[in-house]
Amino acid sequence: IIFRGLKRITGNNYVERSVILAIRNDIAIYSIHTNLDNVLKGVNGKMAGLLGLSNTRVLSPKEGILQKLFCFVPLREADAVRQAIFDAGGGNIGRYSECSFNVEGMGTFKGAQDTHPFVGDPGKLHQEKEIKMEIIFPAWLQKRILKAMLSAHPYEEVAYDIVTLANTHSMTGSGLVGDLENPLTETEFLQRLKSAFKLELVRHTALTGRKVKRVALCGGSGSFLIANALENRADFYLSSDIKYHEFFDADGRMVVADIGHFESEQFTRELLNEILREKFPTFAVLKSEVQTNPVQYFF
């Protein structure tokens, strides 16, 4: 509800009044607006499910949120350390899990006289056959990954490196693109769109006369992804808050449809309800039925 920073809470508008009511009634407000927009199974995933899309993937994956851990482990302990990192969430690449790369080599070290090395003797140079393992993980798991690795690692002082990657994260980013199991005519797809999202009208560009197989979408304001939809060879792109001149960007190569901001995100309550009931099966979940769309239509 707090879309912009609050400089005062005086009750002069609906946001301030809502915050005052929440404070008076000890209610916590947890806002996950952008978070839920940027995961594959979030708002866009819910929209895709309503339209029957399969083979879904992020339309514009984010860069710079993947990291790679390099660590050096004695041969006999490598499996245990690797598994601990996997259990902490490392090693996931797209729809593959427990991914790693491992190279055997020779490590050297010499501990001070007051050290307690796992192998070798204090004050003496030691050589040990080790595995250098490389494992990718999302940046937000860094503390958990390091804790798991250090807990499972036998060395008193662990040698490791963490680097940030320029790779995109295939499960995180803006928009979504997927395929219809059976292609539809553009008119048939518009009818499916109206039915699935309970729409009275749809603003769209001129129909191309081609079948609709690949559909790209973005809940909320998504005109910034029109170029991405074209790059992914979408036949149809649906979103909202598309300006007059932005409709020209379709250039006859696909249909662009604006279904309304609220209309595109209207099923978020159901999505959150499903997530909470799955994660907290013994927790009482109350789903609001209040209609908050400020846009009305006259027919």
Side-chain angles (χ1 to χ4, degrees):
I1 188 172
I2 304 175
F3 199 75
R4 300 179 182 87
L6 289 180
K7 296 183 178 180
R8 61 184 67 85
I9 305 178
T10 61
N12 284 335
N13 56 52
Y14 84 97
V15 172
E16 294 178 13
R17 290 192 293 273
S18 299
V19 171
I20 289 171
L21 280 172
I23 293 171
R24 285 177 176 169
N25 292 278
D26 294 326
I27 295 173
I29 298 174
Y30 176 48
S31 176
I32 49 175
H33 185 276
T34 305
N35 312 51
L36 207 60
D37 284 340
N38 283 278
V39 291
L40 191 59
K41 294 184 178 181
V43 173
N44 298 317
K46 186 70 175 179
M47 294 173 67
L50 290 167
L51 293 171
L53 301 184
S54 59
N55 188 31
T56 56
R57 53 206 180 277
V58 173
L59 183 59
S60 178
K62 285 190 175 296
E63 300 178 357
I65 59 175
L66 285 175
Q67 296 182 332
K68 180 181 284 190
L69 170 67
F70 300 83
C71 64
F72 305 83
V73 192
L75 286 176
R76 288 171 295 180
E77 283 71 28
D79 289 343
V81 173
R82 189 184 304 109
Q83 191 59 53
I85 297 172
F86 290 157
D87 292 342
N92 295 314
I93 301 177
R95 290 183 170 86
Y96 290 81
S97 61
E98 300 193 6
C99 303
S100 70
F101 185 74
N102 304 268
V103 179
E104 184 176 332
M106 185 66 70
T108 67
F109 51 86
K110 182 171 68 174
Q113 290 297 334
D114 60 346
T115 59
H116 301 84
F118 176 70
V119 288
D121 300 310
K124 294 183 179 180
L125 179 65
H126 179 79
Q127 294 185 339
E128 181 71 21
K129 287 186 177 181
E130 295 178 331
I131 292 289
K132 175 189 177 184
M133 59 181 67
E134 305 178 22
I135 299 177
I136 286 178
F137 62 92
W140 58 84
L141 289 180
Q142 185 186 115
K143 288 185 178 179
R144 186 194 302 179
I145 295 289
L146 282 180
K147 182 179 180 181
M149 186 270 290
L150 293 173
S151 296
H153 204 292
Y155 284 175
E156 190 174 33
E157 293 287 349
V158 180
Y160 68 90
D161 303 299
I162 291 178
V163 298
T164 298
L165 306 178
N167 306 48
T168 58
H169 191 296
S170 62
M171 306 297 285
T172 307
S174 303
L176 177 149
V177 61
D179 300 312
L180 293 170
E181 184 175 349
N182 298 306
L184 300 174
T185 67
E186 291 167 327
T187 302
E188 289 171 336
F189 183 74
L190 283 169
Q191 290 293 344
R192 176 179 291 192
L193 193 58
K194 288 184 65 177
S195 175
F197 289 89
K198 305 173 184 177
L199 306 175
E200 296 289 343
L201 58 86
V202 180
R203 299 168 63 223
H204 63 84
T205 57
L207 302 183
T208 67
R210 297 187 292 268
K211 287 290 186 76
V212 179
K213 172 65 175 178
R214 180 161 297 169
V215 178
L217 56 85
C218 178
S221 303
S223 58
F224 68 100
L225 290 173
I226 291 176
N228 298 82
L230 287 169
E231 290 174 4
N232 280 268
R233 298 182 179 180
D235 303 304
F236 218 102
Y237 177 63
L238 62 107
S239 188
S240 68
D241 300 338
I242 298 172
K243 297 179 180 179
Y244 174 80
H245 288 94
E246 293 169 336
F247 278 105
F248 286 102
D249 294 338
D251 198 26
R253 296 160 59 191
M254 67 179 179
V255 177
V256 172
D258 185 328
I259 65 173
H261 196 118
F262 173 86
E263 287 78 6
S264 70
E265 299 179 333
Q266 63 183 293
F267 298 102
T268 303
R269 281 179 294 190
E270 283 73 14
L271 173 62
L272 292 173
N273 187 42
E274 293 165 5
I275 293 172
L276 288 172
R277 289 186 180 277
E278 177 186 353
K279 298 293 184 182
F280 306 99
T282 61
F283 191 75
V285 180
L286 300 179
K287 183 179 66 173
S288 172
E289 298 298 336
V290 176
Q291 168 64 265
T292 59
N293 186 8
V295 181
Q296 304 295 308
Y297 302 97
F298 178 76
F299 297 95

